[in-house]
């Protein structure tokens, strides 16, 4: 009799990789638990605590017994708060049937991909990209098509470049502005140019706006859907409370878009998550409707840190860092260090450099290759000024020890 391998895993598992950013954050945490004084620039979450008015809303929900299943696509109270947010911030009008709430924006994106894409579909993902986009597309059976951008183009895709990448199989493009990892954000003019191509070709835009509120120097955020009615019909906006309100652990994200797509996502959620956590939904209502003072304070602090980290990085010979407009990451070019060595060991990639920094000076950074660009590394500045200063001092020290071989 043929022996069945009971432990055989589905082929899709081998097609994806574990999230590299989570892996590095965990590795830094593990080293710290061993007593090693690691400076972790890996974190993909604000270092601030969830504001207390938001926590209080969750406590109240629990005390009132709001601890049962909710509708799969979220409670009306939260949908209404989201509708208000879109109206106020983005001048976009949606009805409840065009809104779905999920367990974090990552879950929203996953369910959206499950609802929209299948074998044979292509999804355009500009690089550098957020680590999960390609894998989410692959898990839906579709093919991610990476559209490379260079720092010399400001890490932005042009309308011409987008048009050339579109084939008869293209279903959508994923836009992420401000971007994780580059911090680059698209202006209204950029979006208008892109919208023209999108409407002409009739593809969808999945707009990941998770860093919408974390922008600097009076940068004005726009969503591509606000360019016009035609464009809005082709856009699914994904957003959430994780980054803006320091609520990464609460797991609330949401999408707004055409009713057909939103109801498909809701149907999938009914067989998957059942519903986003009841008490987190109440907390998210307070986040969106309560005082926004903590957001302003957090962004102000992030901006001071950005100014500091960009200046300090550019003072290290061999590192070039552009000034990002948003998010809480910098994505410096470190490629001029490639080819140099320490004790006979050559640095020839972002992974080599990240390993060297961790081994030599206990500094954790994320290699750019994880985001589809091997010439860069990503540093999160979601940490105190003191730690940023100490971390950069160590990086400077490690870089100074490299020799031309
Ligand atoms: C953090 C992040 C997300 C996921 O947010 P959650 O709501 O915590 O799931 C989505 N997109 C980008 C670009 C992110 O950086």
């Amino acid at each position: 009799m043929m022996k069945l391998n009971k432990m055989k895993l589905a082929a899709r598992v081998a097609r994806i990789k574990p999230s590299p950013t989570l892996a590095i954050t965990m590795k830094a945490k593990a080293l710290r638990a061993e007593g090693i004084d690691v400076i972790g620039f890996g974190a993909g979450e604000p270092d601030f605590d969830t504001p207390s008015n938001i926590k209080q809303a969750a406590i109240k929900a629990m005390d009132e017994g709001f601890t049962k299943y909710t509708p799969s696509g979220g409670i009306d109270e939260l949908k209404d708060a989201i509708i208000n947010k879109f109206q106020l911030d983005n001048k976009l009008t949606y009805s409840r049937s065009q809104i779905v709430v999920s367990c974090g924006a990552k879950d929203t994106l996953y369910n959206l991909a499950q609802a929209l894409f299948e074998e044979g579909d292509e999804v355009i993902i500009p690089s550098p990209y957020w680590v999960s986009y390609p894998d989410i597309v692959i898990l839906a059976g579709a093919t991610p098509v990476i559209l490379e951008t260079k720092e010399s183009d400001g890490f932005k895709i042009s309308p011409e470049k987008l048009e050339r990448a579109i084939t008869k199989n293209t279903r959508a493009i994923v836009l992420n502005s401000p971007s994780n990892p580059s911090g680059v954000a698209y202006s209204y003019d950029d979006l208008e140019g892109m919208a023209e191509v999108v409407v002409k070709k009739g593809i969808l835009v999945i707009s990941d706006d998770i860093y919408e509120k974390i922008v600097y120097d009076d940068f004005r955020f726009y969503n591509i859907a606000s360019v016009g009615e035609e464009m809005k019909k082709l856009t699914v906006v994904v957003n959430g409370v994780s980054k803006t309100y320091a609520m990464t652990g609460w797991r609330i994200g949401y999408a707004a878009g055409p009713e057909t797509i939103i109801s498909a996502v809701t149907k999938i959620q009914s067989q998957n998550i059942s519903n986003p956590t009841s008490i987190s939904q109440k907390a998210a209502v307070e986040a969106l409707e309560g005082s926004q003072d903590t957001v302003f304070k957090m962004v102000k602090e992030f901006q001071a840190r950005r100014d500091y980290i960009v200046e300090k990085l550019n003072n290290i010979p061999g590192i070039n860092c552009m000034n990002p407009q948003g998010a809480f990451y910098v994505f410096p070019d470190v490629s001029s260090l490639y080819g140099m060595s320490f004790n006979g060991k050559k640095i020839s990639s972002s992974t080599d450099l990240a390993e060297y920094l961790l081994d030599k000076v206990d500094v954790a950074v994320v290699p750019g290759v994880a985001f589809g660009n091997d010439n860069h590394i990503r540093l999160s500045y979601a940490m105190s000024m003191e730690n940023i200063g100490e971390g950069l001092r160590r990086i400077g020290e490690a870089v100074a020890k490299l020799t031309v071989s």
Side-chain angles (χ1 to χ4, degrees):
M1 221 174 72
M2 220 176 72
K3 226 171 146 188
L4 276 176
N5 178 2
K6 295 200 181 66
M7 294 301 156
K8 181 181 116 35
L9 298 174
R12 75 177 69 90
V13 180
R15 281 189 216 119
I16 60 162
K17 54 185 183 332
S19 165
T21 43
L22 287 182
I24 283 159
T25 311
M26 292 308 150
K27 190 170 174 184
K29 272 187 188 160
L31 286 170
R32 217 170 288 134
E34 282 174 33
I36 298 167
D37 170 30
V38 177
I39 306 262
F41 287 104
E45 59 184 352
D47 52 319
F48 301 94
D49 195 11
T50 305
S52 67
N53 61 313
I54 297 174
K55 290 186 189 171
Q56 284 309 318
I59 292 167
K60 181 162 173 277
M62 271 187 275
D63 285 345
E64 289 174 355
F66 194 74
T67 52
K68 302 287 166 65
Y69 290 135
T70 77
S72 295
I75 55 176
D76 283 344
E77 190 188 355
L78 179 52
K79 285 190 179 184
D80 290 345
I82 292 166
I83 288 167
N84 276 337
K85 175 243 153 338
F86 277 118
Q87 195 68 60
L88 279 173
D89 292 344
N90 315 102
K91 298 202 168 58
L92 291 170
T93 308
Y94 293 106
S95 60
R96 281 180 188 167
S97 59
Q98 294 178 293
I99 306 284
V100 62
V101 182
S102 328
C103 295
K106 191 187 269 184
D107 185 48
T108 313
L109 288 161
Y110 182 85
N111 297 334
L112 196 52
Q114 292 292 314
L116 286 172
F117 310 134
E118 59 195 347
E119 210 121 316
D121 290 340
E122 293 175 0
V123 179
I124 296 174
I125 301 171
S127 80
Y129 46 75
W130 182 50
V131 291
S132 294
Y133 298 141
D135 296 75
I136 285 173
V137 168
I138 290 167
L139 285 170
T143 308
V145 174
I146 307 303
L147 192 56
E148 238 176 77
T149 69
K150 292 197 211 70
E151 184 163 358
S152 52
D153 305 322
F155 283 130
K156 289 179 184 177
I157 51 164
S158 64
E160 298 74 34
K161 196 163 172 166
L162 172 60
E163 186 156 6
R164 278 199 299 275
I166 296 173
T167 72
K168 62 178 194 333
N169 297 321
T170 306
R171 293 291 320 283
I173 174 171
V174 182
L175 280 188
N176 176 215
S177 167
S179 151
N180 174 3
S182 73
V184 165
Y186 284 96
S187 70
Y188 188 81
D189 286 352
D190 293 333
L191 295 171
E192 232 178 0
M194 205 126 50
E196 209 170 297
V197 176
V198 168
V199 170
K200 182 168 123 193
K201 296 285 185 175
I203 63 166
L204 295 170
V205 173
I206 295 175
S207 180
D208 181 346
D209 296 2
I210 199 96
Y211 296 104
E212 166 181 16
K213 301 275 181 174
I214 306 176
V215 291
Y216 310 121
D217 308 322
D218 304 318
F219 177 87
R220 181 95 166 74
F221 173 88
Y222 287 98
N223 179 289
I224 195 167
S226 58
V227 166
E229 256 323 289
E230 279 308 298
M231 191 55 245
K232 186 177 169 226
K233 285 182 193 148
L234 295 171
T235 308
V236 183
V237 186
V238 175
N239 207 328
V241 295
S242 288
K243 309 290 159 66
T244 308
Y245 302 100
M247 291 175 73
T248 44
W250 297 72
R251 313 310 303 132
I252 294 290
Y254 54 85
E259 199 173 323
T260 323
I261 297 174
I262 296 302
S263 72
V265 172
T266 309
K267 183 176 171 185
I268 284 173
Q269 292 195 169
S270 77
Q271 295 292 14
N272 176 6
I273 60 166
S274 284
N275 63 266
T277 312
S278 61
I279 56 177
S280 293
Q281 290 189 69
K282 288 283 191 181
V285 170
E286 174 61 24
L288 292 172
E289 290 189 336
S291 162
Q292 304 292 302
D293 287 356
T294 49
V295 181
F296 295 126
K297 271 189 212 137
M298 183 177 79
V299 172
K300 204 169 157 224
E301 175 63 23
F302 275 147
Q303 175 157 335
R305 295 178 191 174
R306 180 208 58 169
D307 293 344
Y308 182 65
I309 198 169
V310 168
E311 192 198 321
K312 290 277 175 190
L313 276 168
N314 282 321
N315 284 341
I316 301 174
I319 298 186
N320 282 300
C321 186
M322 68 187 271
N323 201 26
Q325 290 113 319
F328 40 75
Y329 312 100
V330 281
F331 199 57
D333 186 341
V334 292
S335 62
S336 60
L337 299 173
Y338 297 173
M340 298 180 87
S341 316
F342 177 74
N343 275 355
K345 200 179 171 300
K346 206 177 205 169
I347 308 282
S348 13
S349 66
S350 59
T351 310
D352 287 350
L353 184 65
E355 273 172 12
Y356 171 65
L357 292 176
L358 193 55
D359 291 347
K360 186 77 199 151
V361 288
D362 300 321
V363 168
V365 302
V366 188
V369 69
F371 310 95
N373 189 322
D374 203 21
N375 286 336
H376 294 248
I377 54 174
R378 190 193 78 174
L379 289 82
S380 157
Y381 47 88
M383 60 167 83
S384 70
M385 234 23 140
E386 289 92 322
N387 276 348
I388 295 173
E390 170 61 12
L392 290 187
R393 191 195 61 71
R394 292 187 196 179
I395 293 174
E397 187 186 294
V399 167
K401 289 200 168 106
L402 294 174
T403 54
V404 184
S405 44

